[in-house]
Amino acid sequence: MSKTPEQKWKESIIQYRKNCQKIIDLSKSIRYAGVINEFGRTLTGIIKPGLKPLLNPEAAKNEFFIISNLMTLRNSQSKAFGPLDVATIRHKNATIICIPSGKVVYYISINPNEKSVFDIARKVKSIV
């Protein structure tokens, strides 16, 4: 018996959540791990326990919309540059790692003083 679209959707969300938990567990520097869709909607996300979010809910919604647009627009350049592997954005208070995976993007926020950003990105890619 085949699964209904709703069952497939729920299974996908469960798998994304498990992946986010594995990502959080990779490093003490990781503050947040989440999955956003191509429209900037949060499918799931986990904030490291005990940390205060840097963004309020409305600012997070705007941030994810911006990232989804950035990733979608970058895809149009993939013929010239090849597919996007990882995008990093450095801010004073956090470094953001974005890793596309199919039609979703894994969005990871890490402490700004972390030196091994690309090692973390490599480990995240092995999970997703």
Side-chain angles (χ1 to χ4, degrees):
M1 185 166 163
S2 65
K3 296 177 183 176
T4 66
E6 183 180 359
Q7 288 170 322
K8 290 178 185 178
W9 174 254
K10 285 181 180 180
E11 287 176 3
S12 294
I13 298 300
I14 290 168
Q15 187 58 50
Y16 293 149
R17 186 131 184 104
K18 286 178 183 178
N19 288 349
C20 286
Q21 187 59 57
K22 289 177 188 175
I23 292 167
I24 288 283
D25 293 340
L26 285 176
S27 170
K28 291 183 217 173
S29 294
I30 297 174
R31 301 179 51 83
Y32 172 83
V35 178
I36 58 176
N37 70 11
E38 59 194 323
F39 306 108
R41 300 278 319 254
T42 303
L43 301 180
T44 189
I46 300 174
I47 298 171
K48 184 159 278 196
L51 291 182
K52 181 182 176 213
L54 295 174
L55 300 174
N56 65 43
E58 187 63 27
K61 184 178 172 181
N62 291 336
E63 169 73 358
F64 298 151
F65 180 73
I66 291 165
I67 293 297
S68 69
N69 282 329
L70 171 71
M71 301 304 268
T72 299
L73 292 171
R74 291 304 315 152
N75 283 339
S76 66
Q77 304 304 319
S78 65
K79 288 182 182 174
F81 296 120
L84 182 65
D85 187 43
V86 61
T88 59
I89 303 167
R90 290 191 181 268
H91 294 277
K92 181 181 175 187
N93 295 329
T95 298
I96 308 302
I97 301 172
C98 298
I99 299 176
S101 178
K103 291 189 173 195
V104 299
V105 174
Y106 282 83
Y107 179 100
I108 299 98
S109 171
I110 61 176
N111 290 328
N113 57 356
E114 176 59 50
K115 302 291 186 226
S116 57
V117 172
F118 287 103
D119 285 339
I120 291 174
R122 183 182 45 78
K123 291 175 184 177
V124 170
K125 285 174 30 180
S126 72
I127 292 172
V128 303

